[in-house]
Amino acid sequence: MARAAVSGGLNRRLTWHAARLAEVVEETPSARTLVFDVPDWPGHLPGQHVDVRLTAEDGYSTQRSYSIATPADGTRVALTVQRVDDGEVSPYLTETLVPGDVIELRGPVGGWFVWRAADPAPVLLIAGGSGIVPLMAMIRARREAGSRALFRLIYSVRTPEDRFYADELRTRARDDMGLDVGYVYTRQAPEGWPAAPRRLSVADVNNGGWPPDFQPSCFVCGPTAFVETVADILVALGHDPRRVKTERFGPTGS
């Protein structure tokens, strides 16, 4: 199974950059997008991530990795952060950080879990929870590039209120020709939704994805258990393991 390359994937030395928070977008009650201005940012590809370092006044320092939510845009870098209640970094980023504050970013990291606009192959994106973030960067990059590559997104999420980018995805699915968006709700579905809440199944991937004969590029991102399950389903359905790229985080499922 192909898995995301991480540090060193671009064969260059990564350095820390001062990043000043320029804008905040509330995504859900527990997640927000942070748009940073990063002078001398080298640019990035959709699917890459960064390391975030926080340093306290007493010198204590800690860092975490977060996916980039948008395509390259000059000196701007956007991260969508989900608050983890017992976390050390995400509560600060989602509740305390305000425009004008400065933190440190290092990256971009990863040269494998990326989509390039010049690739004409169909694309299957499967997200679990906040795993939608790097996949949204690919969807946005497709639109900006005017790519005609066919995209399908299957987004597994707990409830309608937990969806990231809900309004934008609705608009993209309506206006971006060749983009299909489907949801699987695991705990609570919208009123009138045709299916009961459930875990993502073989049928969801088979019916909502591309046939293996189309040789799609498959990108799967989410909690570890979710990613491993979906990757196994894709291979069992006949997809080439070399075209199944995964990115994972944390120990729990959506």
Side-chain angles (χ1 to χ4, degrees):
M1 190 65 57
R3 296 188 177 181
V6 288
S7 300
L10 296 181
N11 297 317
R12 59 175 175 75
R13 181 180 177 83
L14 298 176
T15 58
W16 289 102
H17 300 265
R20 185 177 298 278
L21 183 62
E23 181 182 356
V24 174
V25 179
E26 303 295 337
E27 301 290 355
T28 74
S30 61
R32 63 179 184 168
T33 293
L34 309 171
V35 183
F36 294 95
D37 187 28
V38 188
D40 301 324
W41 181 248
H44 59 269
L45 293 170
Q48 290 187 299
H49 61 278
V50 297
D51 297 326
V52 172
R53 183 166 66 185
L54 304 180
T55 303
E57 292 183 357
D58 63 2
Y60 172 74
S61 180
T62 186
Q63 63 186 63
R64 297 289 187 276
S65 295
Y66 292 99
S67 294
I68 304 172
T70 56
D73 180 21
T75 62
R76 291 296 175 98
V77 177
L79 312 177
T80 303
V81 178
Q82 172 85 53
R83 185 184 69 242
V84 178
D85 289 337
D86 59 351
E88 185 177 24
V89 173
S90 65
Y92 178 80
L93 295 177
T94 56
E95 298 172 351
T96 303
L97 198 69
V98 296
D101 288 348
V102 177
I103 63 171
E104 291 179 287
L105 301 184
R106 182 175 62 184
V109 181
W112 175 249
F113 191 85
V114 298
W115 177 75
R116 290 176 170 81
D119 187 350
V123 173
L124 174 58
L125 309 173
I126 304 181
S130 59
I132 185 64
V133 177
L135 309 186
M136 191 66 189
M138 298 178 189
I139 291 172
R140 288 166 166 162
R142 173 184 183 271
R143 179 178 177 82
E144 286 196 5
S147 170
R148 295 187 177 183
L150 299 175
F151 269 41
R152 285 184 173 175
L153 168 66
I154 304 174
Y155 187 5
S156 173
V157 64
R158 291 176 176 173
T159 73
E161 289 71 29
D162 292 312
R163 294 177 301 181
F164 290 11
Y165 323 120
D167 290 341
E168 183 178 352
L169 280 172
R170 187 180 303 112
T171 300
R172 300 277 194 228
R174 182 193 65 201
D175 297 343
D176 292 6
M177 187 174 297
L179 169 65
D180 296 324
V181 177
Y183 292 93
V184 173
Y185 296 96
T186 60
R187 294 192 180 179
Q188 179 185 343
E191 186 175 351
W193 192 254
R198 65 185 189 283
R199 295 288 183 182
L200 192 75
S201 68
V202 173
D204 294 316
V205 177
N206 189 43
N207 297 332
W210 297 107
D213 292 348
F214 284 24
Q215 298 186 319
S217 298
C218 303
F219 295 90
V220 185
C221 186
T224 295
F226 173 87
V227 168
E228 292 180 351
T229 297
V230 173
D232 288 345
I233 289 173
L234 288 167
V235 173
L237 288 173
H239 289 271
D240 184 345
R242 294 170 299 182
R243 301 185 70 83
V244 178
K245 300 181 180 181
T246 63
E247 187 87 303
R248 64 196 68 200
F249 55 83
T252 59
S254 63

